[in-house]
Amino acid sequence: MLGVSERRLELLPVGTVVWLASEVTFFGSLFGAYYAMRSAAPGPWPPADVELDRVVTGVATLLLVASSGTIQLAVRALADGHRPQFRRRLAVTAGLAVLFLANQAHEWSAAGFGPSSHPYGSAFFVMTGFHGLHVTGGVVA
């Protein structure tokens, strides 16, 4: 067409939005299933045999949240041309994520219940498993 300029979207931002939307949809579906099981559960939720260390898990979660900050600092260092600083901050980010994953492995091994014990066990292992895979993918990337 004459006089009409062609405007193209850049692939990286579009791909990022599509990826984020798929992640929100996937994890939203997992939470939806969790709440559906919880509302249909006949007894207490979580069941009596579930004992998780909330303090240690809370600290591990804070480490994972902190890794969001360290990756942003790494991106800034790279944008400013400070490659050694970028590598250090990236290593700190990966280290924080690995600590989170180590705690998750500990939680799984110490749990007195399994995926087939009850609906809570199924939800717990599926949700934490997929989140662990998500974090592992971030570390590998």
Side-chain angles (χ1 to χ4, degrees), residues 2-55:
L2 293 175
V4 176
S5 66
E6 186 176 324
R7 204 174 124 197
R8 292 183 183 206
L9 295 174
E10 296 219 15
L11 290 181
L12 183 60
V14 171
T16 301
V17 168
V18 169
W19 176 78
L20 284 173
S22 71
E23 291 289 300
V24 168
T25 301
F26 179 75
F27 282 104
S29 298
L30 289 178
F31 275 98
Y34 172 85
Y35 287 115
M37 285 191 294
R38 182 178 181 171
S39 69
W45 193 271
D49 67 336
V50 174
E51 291 183 30
L52 300 171
D53 189 342
R54 292 180 184 192
V55 173

Side-chain angles (χ1 to χ4, degrees), residues 3-135:
V4 176
S5 66
E6 186 176 324
R7 204 174 124 197
R8 292 183 183 206
L9 295 174
E10 296 219 15
L11 290 181
L12 183 60
V14 171
T16 301
V17 168
V18 169
W19 176 78
L20 284 173
S22 71
E23 291 289 300
V24 168
T25 301
F26 179 75
F27 282 104
S29 298
L30 289 178
F31 275 98
Y34 172 85
Y35 287 115
M37 285 191 294
R38 182 178 181 171
S39 69
W45 193 271
D49 67 336
V50 174
E51 291 183 30
L52 300 171
D53 189 342
R54 292 180 184 192
V55 173
V56 172
T57 301
V59 169
T61 300
L62 288 175
L63 292 176
L64 188 62
V65 170
S67 74
S68 298
T70 58
I71 192 66
Q72 288 303 316
L73 292 173
V75 168
R76 263 193 221 150
L78 186 61
D80 293 341
H82 302 296
R83 284 177 123 14
Q85 195 174 47
F86 162 74
R87 287 188 183 103
R88 280 193 305 275
R89 290 175 177 173
L90 192 61
V92 169
T93 301
L96 291 170
V98 168
L99 286 173
F100 174 84
L101 292 169
N103 178 69
Q104 185 176 6
H106 171 73
E107 278 184 325
W108 277 27
S109 67
F113 60 94
S116 60
S117 299
H118 36 63
Y120 180 87
S122 176
F124 175 82
F125 283 96
V126 167
M127 292 178 78
T128 59
F130 276 113
H131 186 243
L133 284 174
H134 176 86
V135 173

